[in-house]
Amino acid sequence: MDNLQARAQDLASQIAEAANRLQISALETELGNLKQQSEQPDFWQDNLHAQDVMKQISKLEARITPWQELLRNITDDIELLSAGDASMQTELTEQIKRVGDSFAELKEQLKFTGPYDDHDAILTLSAGAGGTDAQDWTQMVYRMYVRYAEKSGWKVTTVDESPGEEAGLKSVTLEISGPFAYGKLKGEHGVHRLVRLSPFNAESRETSFAKVEVMPKIDKPEDVEIDDKDLRIDVYRSGGHGGQSVNTTDSAVRITHTPTGIVVAIQNERSQLQNKETAMTILRSRLAQLQLEQHAEIISDLKGPSAANEFGSQIRNYVLHPYKQVKDLRTHYETSDPDSILDGNLDDLIDAYLEQNLSS
């Protein structure tokens, strides 16, 4: 019993330390404040705000409850072990093993302690050097992330896209919603390089580039405050696919953040107001990502993004010819099965990045 009790106390200490690193107590306080709001008599007068609060409550409960149960269970087990009832040793051994197994699963959350890791993600993919091949490669990358999201049980929404003249995509923006979507996908941010025999130029080996921007989705304006005087907003006639109003109304919106030079253009919706709201969400998300990259305390300290979309700037190589290999240049993880990677099996690549950053 003594050995079992020592094991239980060590496990309790590890659980408490992990809960502390994840700031579970602070999240409990935040949850309590939100629940107080939801109990006010006029709470549902602002329906949109109320829905947002209830969504936050649900999200926090899903994050907190498993840790509360884990701490409660191990505390109960330690109390029973302290009673010294030898007849319960077998049952308590099994219970402590279950707690340990549950803790091993929850410990994965330690990889997601960044300020936006629990947010949904916005991905913008852009064709780089390589012409039509690069646009086709961008569509392949798009499919790769959609397949990964589907296998993860996440929701994918295409926010905006610009098709290539001959094939593929010049650019596409998608929103991926799911637990820790940004935390898991943030390591995909960068330039992805493809080497293959070109399907558009027989017997020619081509190198193509696609830039992947991964941003935390920032819905609430107060999370990233933008000064209106720093914005230039232009409206113009939509030129994409759509219904009767396309090319007949000035519904497309382009917002320029003048201090950083970031430009967001959205034309997918028929409503100018909807396009503006979507563009502002993406702008806030880009500024939040830029803040993380540049370690800036305030938005006014930011400098414009400058990552090239060409050879020498890539984070990962995908080689389909003359041999088959995918290699991440940061973690040095590699596999000889690029077909599986391009089919959305990204877990090993993503885990390698997260493990490297957890230990650094």
Side-chain angles (χ1 to χ4, degrees), residues 107-305:
K107 260 198 317 189
E108 286 293 300
Q109 293 183 12
L110 290 172
K111 297 175 181 176
F112 309 115
T113 56
Y116 302 115
D117 282 0
D118 61 344
H119 283 48
D120 293 338
I122 292 175
L123 273 66
T124 295
L125 318 179
S126 308
T132 301
D133 276 281
Q135 293 171 13
D136 186 57
W137 170 226
T138 302
Q139 185 159 32
M140 291 168 66
V141 174
Y142 169 74
R143 177 185 178 275
M144 179 177 75
Y145 289 124
V146 170
R147 293 301 299 274
Y148 173 72
E150 289 172 348
K151 291 175 181 181
S152 301
W154 297 346
K155 179 184 176 185
V156 180
T157 304
T158 300
V159 176
D160 200 63
E161 66 176 280
S162 176
E165 285 90 354
E166 296 181 46
L169 295 164
K170 290 181 180 177
S171 65
V172 61
T173 297
L174 56 152
E175 179 184 322
I176 298 181
S177 304
F180 301 102
Y182 174 72
K184 290 185 177 180
L185 289 168
K186 63 185 179 183
E188 298 300 295
H189 187 93
V191 176
H192 297 240
R193 172 179 177 251
L194 173 71
V195 180
R196 64 170 176 175
L197 283 175
S198 171
F200 307 101
N201 187 2
E203 301 304 317
S204 172
R205 195 175 80 171
E206 295 288 339
T207 300
S208 309
F209 297 86
K211 185 176 181 181
V212 178
E213 295 177 82
V214 184
M215 303 157 277
K217 183 184 178 188
I218 307 296
D219 284 310
K220 295 185 287 185
E222 61 269 24
D223 286 349
V224 176
E225 295 183 3
I226 303 173
D227 195 327
D228 288 343
K229 68 179 175 57
D230 290 335
L231 300 178
R232 186 174 74 246
I233 301 175
D234 302 304
V235 295
Y236 57 98
R237 191 155 294 177
S238 173
H241 304 295
Q244 294 178 354
S245 66
V246 173
N247 293 323
T248 63
T249 61
D250 292 334
S251 61
V253 174
R254 179 172 52 246
I255 299 178
T256 304
H257 184 250
T258 52
T260 60
I262 292 175
V263 179
V264 180
I266 298 293
Q267 63 175 11
N268 265 24
E269 301 295 339
R270 295 185 181 184
S271 162
Q272 184 185 117
L273 180 60
Q274 285 179 297
N275 283 329
K276 182 181 177 182
E277 289 177 354
T278 300
M280 284 301 298
T281 296
I282 294 174
L283 176 59
R284 284 192 294 269
S285 300
R286 281 192 171 166
L287 289 171
Q289 176 65 27
L290 204 57
Q291 244 182 319
L292 292 175
E293 291 174 11
Q294 299 183 3
H295 308 289
E297 292 187 8
I298 55 176
I299 295 297
S300 60
D301 290 339
L302 292 177
K303 300 175 182 177

Side-chain angles (χ1 to χ4, degrees), residues 26-44:
L27 295 178
E28 288 173 336
T29 300
E30 184 181 349
L31 177 61
N33 292 337
L34 290 171
K35 284 186 172 180
Q36 280 186 346
Q37 285 187 44
S38 70
E39 293 165 1
Q40 299 302 311
D42 59 349
F43 176 67
W44 286 100

